[in-house]
Amino acid sequence: MTRSTDNPGAARQRKQVNEKNSNDAPHSHTHAGVGSESSHREDQDGKKSRAHETRKTYGRTRGGEVFVVPVTHDRIPQMLDPRQPKNVSDVIVLTVLAAHILALYALPSPLSKYAFAAIYLFWRAAYNVGIGVLLRWQSNDNTLVAWARKWQLFELPSTGKNPRPWLYNLLKRECETEIHSEFDFDSAPIEYNTWLVFRRFVDLILLCDFVSYVLFAIACTHTPAGESAPMTVTRWLLGLALVGFNVWVKLDALRVVKDYAWYWGDFFFLVDQELTFDGVFEMAPHPMYSIGYAGYYGISMLAGSYAVLFISIFAHACQFAFLVLVENPHIEKTYNPPTPRKRVETQEPGYERSPGTSPTRESQDSSPTAQQPSPQEIHNLLGLRNIDLFRNTDYSTCLLLVYLFVLALVTPQGPVWQFLFIMHAFAWRIWYTVGLGSILHRQSEDKMWTRHFVKFGDTTNEAWRQWKGMYHISHVLCYASFIAACWKMYSVPVDWSYGFVLLRHVIGASLIALQIWTAMSIYESLGEFGWFFGDFFFDRGVKLNYTSIYRFLNNPERIIGTAGLWGAALITWSKSVFILAWVSHLLTIGFLEFVEQPHMQKVYGESLRNEAGLTRFIKRSLPPYVVEWQSSANKVMDQTSQLVEELLDAARPKLAAGVSTIVRDTTALFNKYPARLGISKSALDLATYDPAHYSVTVEGESSSGSALTERSSGKEGTAGRFPSYLNTMIFEYGAPIKVKWTAPSNHSKKDWIGLYMVADNRSREVTDISSLGRWIPTVPGQYESTTADKGILVSDIPIQGPDSDGIDLVKGEMIFSGDKLWWTQGVFEFRYHHDGNHNVMAISQPFEIHVARFDEEDVPAGIDSHANYQDAVEAALLPVVQNCLDRDPDIAPGKPSEPWGSHVERDGKYAKRIVYAIRQMFGIEFAPAVVTVDGRVSNLAWRICNAKQVLVSFF
């Protein structure tokens, strides 16, 4: 056997790698400051000449330290080889594995199944939850390295700073034994040594995970009752084939990603390691997570047990969750960081303000109430989050779905109704592929759809919008009618253990999940523009980019795009549904061949890729005689295809007349807060500290004067209409807040200050709730988190002269900004806590966070009132947007015409902050997607003015 389980590091398609084929997602990046060198040495004796090449790989830590990365290898083969020497960690791992094997033979048969199911679930949790949490902490806060530094694991004993020299010597011996090259453990960076120790921890968990799974399968292995000998042989042959394929996937993946990525090395440091993702990485996305689990299902077949199959599916799902929650965020953050915003010193050539809003106007007759076109379409159709019942398309779709499913539920299961539902699904499939396909074909040939709307004075955008609505409704009802037909044909099995009933349901559900994943991958790659065939309507100069699922398949719809239909046919086990699935698959292939492929060829021409990654890999793997036979077969297929095309060209005029009638008639029809966790901790030495010696003061950017006057509504008494201007602290929304503190010089180094809403805590002595990340320690380096120390300015600065009680005091300062602020209006306070607990030693004066309303009376009057108003909106909005973007020069714009950084599109928190501020300032509610699409303050200001024109008459 190869590697015990799949390795998540091998699943990565790094952004810095060089693709082997230039047509296949050609990304090529290297790490800054990381390089490689080679030296060639030649013998000097003249008897023979031999070139020695020594490649050095350089690594860079987060702190910027560059070092030579020693060559490491997978330790498991050496560990399992009895001829190789063993160190302490090897003995521990082998002992644990031996205990598992002995337990299988010691436990009685019925009990061993349950025992090893529990053992395997424990190790699977240790893998996906345990290692996942550690890696996530390491990725976000460098936690593992911080622990090693805190416990002084790698401090030289000769310095006298290492409290456990025996542990240092043990780790040194373990690590130096593992690396078969020149390696100086004493001088290696702490990040590298931490990674080496982490590898041993990973080996234990992964080996125990795999071994406990195999032992569970052995405990469950049996021959199903009534199984024939040929079926048994077939089951074993197929299972062994899947296990062999799994072994090859693991070995080939290790060949590609090497030992560094196999053990998640990039969570600790980065290296110069350019990879060519060929072999298994051309077959499927994330092969170590997808096809890398084929061996699990092969072992399930060998065991002949549904229990093993279900636990394999569970493990597979856990691994995908590990990928989504741990791997992908780290890969995105490390290898695909947001690009800095574009800084513009002058107005961009391609940027124009909306008509009637430019700073200089030559005419005075431009109407300020004229509606301008939106900078870009925002309101998407696909996805549950985008459902908007105020939109005709969504309302009609939901209404039709309700009618369809109510009809399916209330009608009987008789043969007449089953026939009607099958024919209903068949009709929708014909319309979805043939009807809409004919419209797209005519649109590609002569812009028939666009011409129809232009004829009635509409724009191309209106034609595009109407097409998207028709296609969306047709797509949804095509699949909804198929689901309704399956509902009518399905009957719940009486005996789930009979024959292959349970297996059919498992395979069917897997195929349905495969189609759902395929559709999501296609949408992720194409977006709404590609999903709705936008290049049939617009010529945007779109360049083909084979990413996501298209890296492996040219037309995923052709192969796995209808997998869910076949899955439903297996579940229902109905001939009618099988025929419907077969017809649907053929119609889908026909749509691709006669509608989409010709248009793609016409629009993109030579930029179309001839072979996908999977096809290229298969051809390279075939013997030469098979490749020659395939070339001959392709020639015959090309000649046959040309003949069919000639016949269709001859019959096209007759078909077009009938199709146009169907299209016309059908078009006419379509015209008709979270739960709180209480924390209460009391320190043992609390009585030795006097809260009177602690203090917390706050400084911030005061909000505009209107923040106080807004409190007076005119409904108060005479005294209540005049707020106190002296003692009220009101700060700007999102502006950084400086906190100054004082404490006794002997205060705990783990003291910390947190930001809370005043009304959230009932007690003034003990804080009841978590700070939710809005806290900063008073002294840096006391917590295993790099993000916690962000904001500390100065710490433990002695105050000259003791206080009135003769106590020596120290002071410090810190800045709360970004994610450590509350992004809402309210009254807040800072609380000083003792020794990492929640005992309050001091509380700051309460202060208010406020978003000042936009005062329309301050807009200067002028010739062009619309322009003056937009200029005023831009001036008021710019500082608020800068606060919402953390005043980061790589994100926040310096002027209204400057775009903000791509971080806004990457992280939705920024857009939510901005739309909240706009709602408070102008009384207009926007969706966060508006911020992402507009991209600059000037566009947002224009949109606010446009919304004001519609909602409020202020001109």
Side-chain angles (χ1 to χ4, degrees), residues 124-319:
R124 175 54 56 167
Y127 181 7
N128 295 136
V129 179
I131 295 180
V133 170
L134 290 178
L135 287 176
R136 190 171 179 86
W137 287 351
Q138 174 63 23
S139 176
N140 294 336
D141 298 319
N142 207 23
T143 301
L144 299 183
V145 176
W147 285 351
R149 186 175 287 112
K150 174 185 177 181
W151 298 332
Q152 300 176 328
L153 292 180
F154 305 111
E155 290 285 348
L156 287 173
S158 58
T159 62
K161 298 180 180 180
N162 195 320
R164 293 169 290 271
W166 63 269
L167 181 57
Y168 177 89
N169 294 327
L170 175 62
L171 295 177
K172 179 178 181 180
R173 186 165 55 252
E174 291 283 326
C175 295
E176 290 182 343
T177 304
E178 182 175 349
I179 300 177
H180 304 287
S181 62
E182 296 182 1
F183 170 60
D184 188 358
F185 182 83
D186 298 335
S187 61
I190 187 173
E191 290 83 0
Y192 185 76
N193 288 340
T194 304
W195 176 62
L196 290 180
V197 175
F198 177 73
R199 284 163 53 104
R200 308 306 293 151
F201 174 73
V202 169
D203 283 339
L204 171 64
I205 292 180
L206 297 190
L207 275 174
C208 290
D209 173 79
F210 178 73
V211 170
S212 61
Y213 171 79
V214 173
L215 294 177
F216 171 70
I218 294 174
C220 296
T221 298
H222 72 288
T223 300
E227 184 180 71
S228 62
M231 181 59 68
T232 302
V233 173
T234 303
R235 176 168 58 83
W236 273 81
L237 290 177
L238 184 57
L240 291 174
L242 289 175
V243 172
F245 175 73
N246 198 143
V247 172
W248 173 81
V249 169
K250 302 293 184 180
L251 294 177
D252 197 60
L254 180 59
R255 173 189 64 83
V256 173
V257 303
K258 308 300 188 296
D259 200 50
Y260 167 72
W262 187 267
Y263 285 99
W264 301 283
D266 57 353
F267 281 76
F268 298 82
F269 57 91
L270 297 179
V271 301
D272 168 36
Q273 183 172 324
E274 296 182 354
L275 308 179
T276 299
F277 280 113
D278 56 1
V280 68
F281 286 91
E282 290 182 320
M283 293 187 63
H286 305 297
M288 298 300 291
Y289 294 109
S290 51
I291 58 177
Y293 262 76
Y296 270 51
Y297 300 106
I299 293 175
S300 301
M301 297 186 68
L302 295 176
S305 169
Y306 281 112
V308 181
L309 175 61
F310 289 140
I311 209 168
S312 300
I313 295 174
F314 173 77
H316 203 170
C318 290
Q319 207 60 38

Side-chain angles (χ1 to χ4, degrees), residues 380-384 386-387 391-398 401 428 432 436 465-479 528 531-532 670:
N380 291 335
L381 274 175
L382 294 184
L384 295 177
N386 291 320
I387 293 178
R391 185 167 51 185
N392 277 338
T393 302
D394 292 346
Y395 172 78
S396 302
T397 303
C398 293
L401 288 177
W428 271 110
Y432 176 65
L436 296 183
R465 189 176 69 86
Q466 294 293 340
W467 160 257
K468 289 203 304 179
M470 174 179 285
Y471 182 86
H472 180 65
I473 293 177
S474 302
H475 176 83
V476 171
L477 288 181
C478 177
Y479 281 93
E528 292 230 340
W531 181 271
F532 290 107
F670 279 101

